[in-house]
């Protein structure tokens, strides 16, 4: 290249750089730089594509397209693939290509879309910045069949400048978007922490997320037994009826729940039962300490894409939602425990005061009646009535006490443990309950506490949502067995470490002179078996 050519090249790069640095609107910037580049190189026609994952691309800038390519509002440029795009997607377009036949121009001739102005070929240059690729620059001129090495080198230098400007502009807009999203997130978190009712929260929050961030699809999915249920669903900013996720481990939302990892889904070519697969979507797990609580899913229409800013802010929404769900669960558990403790306290007070006094009154009346003379029949009759009424009151008081406390273990311990498990997302199946009558309070409380601790361990470590319970009683002992089908563990190793949970369970069993056996192997579930003798040491009611 001679000195004059070198000066012209440097002047071109200077003009292009000034044009790129003077704008932040991507489309406006690319249109302006394309026009200046064509003028400087004395070329008549050019266009640019921003290219995403196959098959997505955007026709973003053009100048002096021949009529054949502007047919039907530039439809030939906006739809379908071409050879330069295919080479880009296949990783073959790394350097400028001197002359490439244009499939779009060939189709224009084939289908009579209009005059091509003698343009049949174009040079193609990838738009890159470092290791990142952003799109394609195509330039052409009538009857031009060759670009010199100097022209290609200049085009490549300009393409680097354009690629760097695209990256800068993209980062700028991403930060702008991030700032706006997190400002909106602040308003959403206030909504989350002002609502105590979880059911109401899920519906309201989902609606606000969809409308605030303009996601055509937004759904909150929670476990229901062995299935996932869409608890709240918005499509194009309208709340619609709830549905269930297909029991398909390869479904993108199901995968997010099972793996506790973000999953993305591109639009499928067929319509699903729920319509969730008709969008380019992202599923973000809602979890506490790796314990899955549900999935927050959102999506955009076909042809659009979800960016990192959207995923980051929805991650934050999912984290706040997980904390809110856990807070609600703990509040319900605390209220249930307070109610349980208050009922037990009242039952003990009735037993220790009113019940004992009625019992004493009954004995006193019985003794007095036996000591009176036969001729004092009226007094004897009166004392008989006192004894009868006190015995009836005593029976009714015992019934009231057992209504305050669990009314029989079949409806007490088992039911309370099933409810407790359900709150932790575990289905506790009742396999066998037999022979159960009234149990001493100490045994009842020990079984309830051990059962809850076992269910907690399942929730935290077993990675399963199904377990079984068996509860049996004979005249000598009561036995409870809890079985899960989760990951299991090396039981001997855990015992040697003296974990707090297992140690506490053992202490509870020791207080009632019982026995605790834990059987587990990795990947084969866990069995917790506890039996407690029914004797004088455990006879306190």
């Amino acid at each position: 290249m001679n000195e004059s050519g070198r000066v012209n090249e440097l002047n071109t790069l200077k003009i292009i750089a000034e044009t790129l640095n003077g704008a932040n609107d991507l489309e406006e910037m690319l249109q302006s730089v394309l026009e200046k580049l064509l003028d400087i190189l004395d070329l008549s026609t050019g266009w640019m594509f921003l290219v995403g994952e196959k098959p997505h691309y955007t026709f973003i800038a053009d100048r002096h397209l021949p009529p054949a390519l502007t047919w039907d509002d530039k439809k030939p440029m906006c739809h379908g693939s071409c050879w330069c795009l295919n080479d880009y997607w296949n990783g073959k377009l790394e350097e400028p290509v001197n002359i490439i036949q244009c499939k779009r121009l060939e189709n224009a001739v084939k289908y009579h879309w209009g005059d091509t102005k003698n343009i049949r070929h174009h040079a193609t240059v990838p738009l890159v910045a470092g290791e990142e690729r952003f799109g394609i620059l195509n330039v052409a001129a009538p009857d031009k069949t060759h670009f010199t090495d100097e022209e290609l080198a200049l085009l490549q230098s300009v393409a680097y400048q354009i690629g760097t400007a695209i990256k800068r502009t993209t980062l700028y807009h991403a930060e702008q978007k991030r700032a706006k999203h997190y400002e909106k997130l602040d308003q959403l978190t206030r909504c989350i922490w002002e609502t105590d009712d979880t059911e109401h929260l899920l519906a309201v929050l989902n609606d606000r997320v969809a409308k605030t961030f303009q996601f055509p699809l937004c759904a909150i999915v929670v476990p229901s037994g062995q299935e996932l249920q869409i608890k709240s669903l918005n499509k194009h900013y309208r709340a619609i009826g709830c549905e269930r996720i297909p029991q398909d481990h390869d479904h993108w939302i199901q995968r997010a729940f099972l793996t506790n990892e973000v999953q993305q889904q591109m639009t499928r070519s067929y319509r699903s039962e729920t319509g969730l697969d008709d969008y380019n979507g992202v599923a973000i797990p809602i979890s506490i300490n790796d314990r899955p609580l549900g999935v927050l899913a959102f999506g955009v229409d076909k042809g659009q894409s979800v960016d990192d800013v959207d995923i980051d802010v929805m991650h934050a929404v999912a984290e706040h939602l997980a904390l809110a769900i856990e807070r609600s669960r703990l509040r319900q558990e605390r209220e249930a425990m307070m109610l349980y403790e208050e009922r037990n306290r009242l039952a003990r007070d009735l037993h220790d005061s009113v019940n004992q006094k009625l019992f004493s009154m009954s004995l006193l009346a019985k003794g007095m009646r036996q000591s009176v003379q036969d001729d004092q029949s009226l007094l004897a009759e009166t004392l008989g009535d006192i004894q009868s009424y006190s015995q009836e009151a005593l029976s009714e008081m015992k019934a009231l006490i057992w209504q305050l406390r669990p009314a029989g273990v079949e409806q007490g311990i088992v039911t309370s443990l099933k409810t407790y498990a359900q709150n932790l997302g575990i289905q506790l199946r009742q396999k066998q309950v037999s022979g159960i009558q009234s149990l001493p309070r100490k045994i009842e409380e020990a079984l309830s506490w051990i059962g809850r601790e076992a269910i907690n361990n399942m929730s935290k470590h077993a990675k399963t949502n199904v377990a079984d319970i068996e509860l049996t009683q004979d005249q000598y002992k009561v036995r409870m067995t809890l079985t899960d089908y989760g990951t299991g563990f090396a039981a001997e190793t855990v015992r040697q470490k003296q974990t707090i949970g297992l140690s506490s369970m053992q202490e509870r069993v020791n207080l009632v002179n019982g026995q605790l056996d834990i059987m587990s192997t990795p990947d084969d579930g866990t069995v917790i078996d506890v039996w407690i003798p029914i004797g004088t040491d455990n006879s306190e009611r």
Side-chain angles (χ1 to χ4, degrees):
M1 181 184 295
N2 59 33
E3 186 65 26
S4 175
R6 181 61 179 166
V7 170
N8 287 336
E9 179 182 340
L10 292 175
N11 188 53
T12 298
L13 294 175
K14 175 177 177 292
I15 293 172
I16 296 300
E18 290 173 348
T19 303
L20 292 172
N21 291 331
N24 280 320
D25 183 277
L26 186 60
E27 187 171 349
E28 179 183 314
M29 177 182 73
L30 295 180
Q31 183 64 40
S32 177
V33 77
L34 178 62
E35 292 174 1
K36 289 185 181 298
L37 177 64
L38 294 178
D39 287 341
I40 294 170
L41 297 181
D42 196 25
L43 297 171
S44 64
T45 301
W47 61 91
M48 290 189 203
F49 296 116
L50 293 182
V51 187
E53 295 293 328
K54 189 176 183 179
H56 301 293
Y57 68 91
T58 302
F59 176 57
I60 195 167
D62 68 278
R63 190 186 191 199
H64 295 163
L65 290 177
L69 297 182
T70 61
W71 171 78
D72 196 11
D73 196 23
K74 301 180 183 179
K75 185 176 180 180
M77 306 300 293
C78 300
H79 299 277
S81 63
C82 60
W83 290 308
C84 57
L85 280 175
N86 287 332
D87 284 348
Y88 180 95
W89 281 319
N90 293 332
K92 297 179 179 179
L93 186 61
E94 297 180 353
E95 301 288 339
V97 177
N98 194 330
I99 287 294
I100 188 170
Q101 287 183 308
C102 181
K103 182 180 179 182
R104 299 179 196 276
L105 288 167
E106 287 191 1
N107 286 339
V109 173
K110 179 179 180 180
Y111 297 111
H112 308 290
W113 289 339
D115 188 4
T116 65
K117 297 294 184 182
N118 292 325
I119 297 175
R120 294 292 182 90
H121 308 81
H122 59 74
T124 296
V125 188
L127 303 174
V128 298
E131 298 296 323
E132 296 183 71
R133 305 192 308 162
F134 298 99
I136 296 174
L137 165 65
N138 290 336
V139 294
D143 300 318
K144 188 173 179 66
T145 60
H146 182 74
F147 285 78
T148 66
D149 291 343
E150 289 80 5
E151 287 175 321
L152 290 177
L154 179 58
L155 285 172
Q156 187 172 33
S157 297
V158 171
Y160 282 141
Q161 285 187 310
I162 295 173
T164 302
I166 292 174
K167 181 175 181 179
R168 172 184 60 79
T169 306
T170 302
L171 290 174
Y172 171 78
H173 287 299
E175 289 307 311
Q176 293 275 71
K177 182 178 180 180
R178 188 183 303 275
K180 292 179 180 178
H181 271 17
Y182 275 88
E183 182 179 346
K184 296 173 181 176
L185 176 64
D186 180 60
Q187 300 171 1
L188 284 173
T189 54
R190 294 182 187 182
C191 167
I192 292 174
W193 296 108
E194 288 173 358
T195 307
D196 289 331
D197 185 336
T198 303
E199 292 286 329
H200 179 66
L201 170 64
L202 296 182
V204 170
L205 178 67
N206 193 49
D207 182 65
R208 291 192 60 171
V209 166
K211 293 177 180 177
T212 298
F213 299 113
Q214 295 294 293
F215 294 134
L217 169 72
C218 198
I220 296 177
V221 181
V222 298
S224 177
Q226 294 182 311
E227 295 181 307
L228 289 179
Q229 182 180 20
I230 303 173
K231 205 66 176 178
S232 179
L233 177 61
N234 277 65
K235 288 185 180 179
H236 287 279
Y237 324 118
R238 288 191 308 109
I240 64 177
C242 296
E243 303 167 353
R244 291 187 179 274
I245 299 293
Q247 287 187 320
D248 175 7
H249 287 190
D250 195 43
H251 192 275
W252 56 293
I253 293 180
Q254 186 91 340
R255 285 200 311 271
F257 182 79
L258 294 174
T259 64
N260 204 30
E261 295 177 354
V262 175
Q263 301 290 328
Q264 290 190 253
Q265 166 69 30
M266 301 301 290
T267 308
R268 295 187 180 181
S269 59
Y270 59 88
R271 293 189 63 84
S272 66
E273 294 179 5
T274 64
L276 292 175
D277 302 325
D278 303 326
Y279 301 84
N280 293 332
V282 177
I284 298 178
I286 304 170
S287 62
I288 288 286
N289 296 328
D290 294 329
R291 174 166 55 86
L293 304 176
V295 175
L296 176 61
F298 66 102
V300 295
D301 289 322
K302 182 179 180 180
Q304 299 179 345
S305 60
V306 176
D307 59 31
D308 291 340
V309 177
D310 293 326
I311 295 176
D312 287 347
V313 76
M314 293 300 278
H315 249 305
V317 172
E319 289 172 358
H320 280 281
L321 185 55
L323 291 173
I325 293 173
E326 182 71 359
R327 178 193 63 171
S328 176
R329 183 190 68 79
L330 291 174
R331 187 189 68 252
Q332 293 174 3
E333 182 181 330
R334 184 176 64 253
E335 290 174 352
M337 182 61 71
M338 290 174 61
L339 179 61
Y340 178 80
E341 291 175 352
E342 179 61 19
R343 288 160 68 98
N344 273 350
R345 184 196 64 78
L346 186 55
R348 287 195 298 271
D349 289 347
L350 289 172
H351 176 274
D352 296 339
S353 59
V354 181
N355 189 57
Q356 295 294 344
K357 290 177 181 177
L358 286 171
F359 182 69
S360 299
M361 186 171 68
S362 176
L363 290 178
L364 181 60
K366 182 178 180 181
M368 289 180 63
R369 184 182 181 190
Q370 292 174 350
S371 64
V372 297
Q373 301 299 322
D374 293 339
D375 57 354
Q376 295 176 304
S377 57
L378 181 58
L379 178 58
E381 184 180 349
T382 302
L383 291 172
D385 290 341
I386 294 174
Q387 181 186 4
S388 176
Y389 293 150
S390 63
Q391 287 176 338
E392 290 178 10
L394 183 60
S395 298
E396 292 178 6
M397 184 58 63
K398 286 182 178 179
L400 286 173
I401 290 172
W402 283 102
Q403 287 175 22
L404 287 169
R405 298 175 65 209
V409 180
E410 295 95 338
Q411 299 175 2
I413 291 177
V414 174
T415 300
S416 66
L417 290 181
K418 288 172 71 174
T419 302
Y420 186 78
Q422 185 178 4
N423 289 334
L424 293 180
I426 295 175
Q427 180 188 6
L428 187 60
R429 300 180 299 194
Q430 180 178 314
K431 299 296 286 187
Q432 180 182 5
V433 176
S434 62
I436 304 300
Q437 300 175 4
S438 61
L439 284 171
R441 178 169 52 85
K442 286 174 62 177
I443 295 180
E444 192 175 79
E445 290 178 352
L447 290 173
S448 179
W449 196 96
I450 293 167
R452 286 178 177 239
E453 183 62 30
I455 292 168
N456 273 329
N457 288 337
M458 292 177 198
S459 173
K460 292 177 182 177
H461 308 299
K463 296 183 181 179
T464 183
N465 60 359
V466 178
D468 294 332
I469 183 171
E470 298 179 54
L471 190 64
T472 58
Q473 178 185 350
D474 58 31
Q475 59 180 327
Y476 303 110
K477 66 180 182 301
V478 60
R479 182 176 183 177
M480 180 173 71
T481 304
L482 288 161
T483 306
D484 72 61
Y485 305 94
T487 56
F489 56 87
E492 190 59 36
T493 301
V494 174
R495 288 195 191 95
Q496 290 172 0
K497 292 181 179 180
Q498 291 296 308
T499 62
I500 294 175
L502 295 180
S503 297
S504 299
M505 291 167 67
Q506 187 63 60
E507 290 172 4
R508 286 279 178 167
V509 171
N510 292 342
L511 288 175
V512 288
N513 301 312
Q515 179 175 320
L516 174 68
D517 292 317
I518 299 176
M519 294 153 283
S520 183
T521 53
D523 301 321
D524 199 26
T526 301
V527 177
I528 294 177
D529 190 27
V530 55
W531 66 265
I532 301 171
I534 301 175
T536 55
D537 292 337
N538 291 326
S539 61
E540 180 187 346
R541 294 286 170 176

